[in-house]
Amino acid sequence: MKTTRILAALAAALPAIAASAAERLTITLQHDLDIARPSETVTVPWSEVNKALPHALVQKIAVRDASGRVVPHQVTNVAPQAKDPQNVGTAYGELIFQHSFKAGEKSATYTVEKIDSVAPVFAAQTFARYVPERLDDFGWENDKIGHRTYGPALAAPAPAGVVKEVLVTSGLDLWFKRVPYPIVDRWYNKGHDHYHHDEGEGMDMYNVGRSRGAGGTGVWDGGKLYVSTNYASWKVLANGPVRSIFELSYAAWDAAGLPVTETKRFTVDAGQQLDMIESTFSYAGDKPLPVAVGLNKTPSDKGQTPQIATRREGKVLLQWVEQASNGAFGTAVVVPAAQGFAEDALNELILAPASAGKPLRYYAGGAWSRAGEITTREQWEAYVANAAARAANPVRTALAASK
């Protein structure tokens, strides 16, 4: 797979890094599936690293695979101890790296060591940011695909005498990439008229409008979908190179007489076509809330006369869209807690119950034929089926400290 080759080349090019001591943390990964699991992200609480490697610092560690090669890693500040006044290396959150399981490979071993030299900086494969230069978009991406969604400035009416785009939606957009490097900054820099055309790196050709786009949510009331407006606030929690994490919060909206607010936490991993999204709804009472996650029924640009194949099965809702001149693309939503399907005038919907204050986890994203990896409906269906299987069968980690 392209990402695996890039990571292997990067690891091979890194300088030799000598461990400063015999102390090491051994991480054993195991799973039960027979399928390949490319770019599987591994997270280890930094508190466990600190136990095995006292005084280990973020800039002076190496993660090695079973052959001893240094692999790209990331240390986040998600849920850390707030301070580290003794400089003993406790004020971090998680250690993150990736392993690509081959088909039939059920286990793998990595080690974490302290080093004397400063660890190399790895190339960013994920990225997320607020985009004030385009009103208040929020954009994010990995090495496979990009996304954006929209803030309150886009929803605001145009002042008298001012020409301004107005769009009220909490739908999620797709930006289709054909290059592995980050493009969000580049595309916003070159401007709207350019990124709507493929100039070699990909294009924004997905239609959101007032729909759910590719993975937006709403409250389903047995025949009507009640949705939020544009996001109200944002927070970036981690930003690559392996994983980006951010939150978008939505102001209260009326769901058939029930005021509801929502916060979405997005986890964007390198090498994946689908992001993990955890939507937490707040509302009065303890009755489960019927939530719908949607895909736009008309996702193509104008003039593309698309042929759209939709599949609704188990925990998966997906589309494959053949276009007249812009290639084909797939979109999908995987909802592990799904309990059925529905639709309205704008959206295909997959339904699941959510409880107040408890995150509803799902996966959403897409793929484009011109990226060269997923070029047919059959390949997209297989990819999404594998993603659903992976979500239902997480990798297990076992930790052991040694001298």
Side-chain angles (χ1 to χ4, degrees):
M1 204 171 176
K2 187 187 297 181
T3 300
T4 304
R5 292 197 299 271
I6 292 169
L7 291 178
L10 176 61
L14 292 172
I17 300 175
S20 62
E23 299 166 317
R24 67 183 60 196
L25 173 64
T26 299
I27 303 171
T28 302
L29 314 176
Q30 293 182 313
H31 75 114
D32 301 321
L33 300 178
D34 292 325
I35 61 174
R37 301 179 72 142
S39 301
E40 191 72 52
T41 302
V42 180
T43 63
V44 179
W46 186 262
S47 58
E48 296 299 323
V49 178
N50 187 252
K51 286 178 186 177
L53 306 174
H55 302 277
L57 300 175
V58 61
Q59 74 274 24
K60 291 192 173 184
I61 62 166
V63 180
R64 301 179 188 271
D65 65 14
S67 68
R69 292 177 300 180
V70 175
V71 302
H73 70 271
Q74 173 181 350
V75 178
T76 75
N77 62 351
V78 177
Q81 294 185 30
K83 296 182 179 180
D84 185 15
Q86 303 303 318
N87 199 31
V88 295
T90 60
Y92 311 133
E94 301 169 315
L95 171 67
I96 296 175
F97 61 94
Q98 290 191 323
H99 176 73
S100 290
F101 287 95
K102 301 179 179 66
E105 180 187 13
K106 298 297 182 69
S107 65
T109 301
Y110 285 78
T111 58
V112 184
E113 303 170 351
K114 289 190 288 186
I115 59 175
D116 291 325
S117 58
V118 175
V121 175
F122 304 104
Q125 298 180 85
T126 68
F127 179 59
R129 78 169 175 96
Y130 171 67
V131 188
E133 63 267 38
R134 202 273 182 179
L135 296 174
D136 51 3
D137 285 3
F138 195 96
W140 67 100
E141 64 181 310
N142 63 6
D143 52 324
K144 301 295 184 183
I145 195 163
H147 310 256
R148 68 170 168 176
T149 194
Y150 314 101
L154 183 64
V162 175
V163 177
K164 171 191 166 295
E165 182 182 0
V166 177
L167 178 59
V168 179
T169 183
S170 54
L172 305 182
D173 196 9
L174 290 176
W175 277 10
F176 292 102
K177 297 171 58 171
R178 53 195 301 188
V179 293
Y181 54 77
I183 53 82
V184 164
D185 281 349
R186 293 163 68 90
W187 288 15
Y188 275 113
N189 188 48
K190 69 182 185 178
H192 184 278
D193 292 339
H194 287 272
Y195 61 66
H196 280 279
H197 304 277
D198 184 6
E199 297 178 341
E201 295 179 319
M203 64 188 297
D204 173 15
M205 60 177 177
Y206 188 80
N207 177 44
V208 177
R210 292 181 175 271
S211 78
R212 299 297 77 213
T217 50
V219 177
W220 182 247
D221 188 37
K224 184 175 180 180
L225 187 64
Y226 295 86
V227 301
S228 59
T229 59
N230 306 39
Y231 78 82
S233 64
W234 60 272
K235 180 190 297 184
V236 175
L237 302 173
N239 223 347
V242 177
R243 166 176 282 182
S244 292
I245 306 171
F246 64 93
E247 292 181 348
L248 300 176
S249 294
Y250 296 82
W253 74 95
D254 182 280
L258 179 68
V260 176
T261 64
E262 178 186 9
T263 296
K264 291 182 181 293
R265 176 174 286 200
F266 294 75
T267 299
V268 184
D269 284 348
Q272 303 298 324
Q273 304 290 156
L274 307 179
D275 298 333
M276 184 177 77
I277 305 172
E278 294 172 301
S279 280
T280 301
F281 298 88
S282 297
Y283 57 92
D286 55 7
K287 183 179 179 180
L289 191 69
V291 171
V293 187
L295 297 175
N296 187 7
K297 284 183 172 180
T298 56
S300 289
D301 271 346
K302 295 177 181 179
Q304 288 297 310
T305 59
Q307 297 183 7
I308 303 175
T310 302
R311 184 169 183 173
R312 312 166 190 84
E313 183 175 345
K315 312 301 183 181
V316 171
L317 172 65
L318 68 76
Q319 295 172 323
W320 183 254
V321 183
E322 297 278 359
Q323 301 178 107
S325 61
N326 285 336
F329 67 85
T331 62
V333 176
V334 176
V335 185
Q339 294 184 355
F341 300 90
E343 62 181 296
D344 67 4
L346 298 178
N347 307 284
E348 299 285 351
L349 301 168
I350 183 168
L351 308 177
S355 297
K358 296 181 180 179
L360 172 66
R361 176 176 292 185
Y362 67 97
Y363 302 80
W368 187 30
S369 62
R370 288 186 183 170
E373 294 186 10
I374 296 172
T375 60
T376 67
R377 173 184 173 183
E378 291 74 20
Q379 289 175 328
W380 182 233
E381 289 179 344
Y383 180 91
V384 176
N386 281 9
R390 292 169 67 169
N393 295 273
V395 171
R396 303 183 297 276
T397 61
L399 310 177
S402 62
K403 293 288 188 178

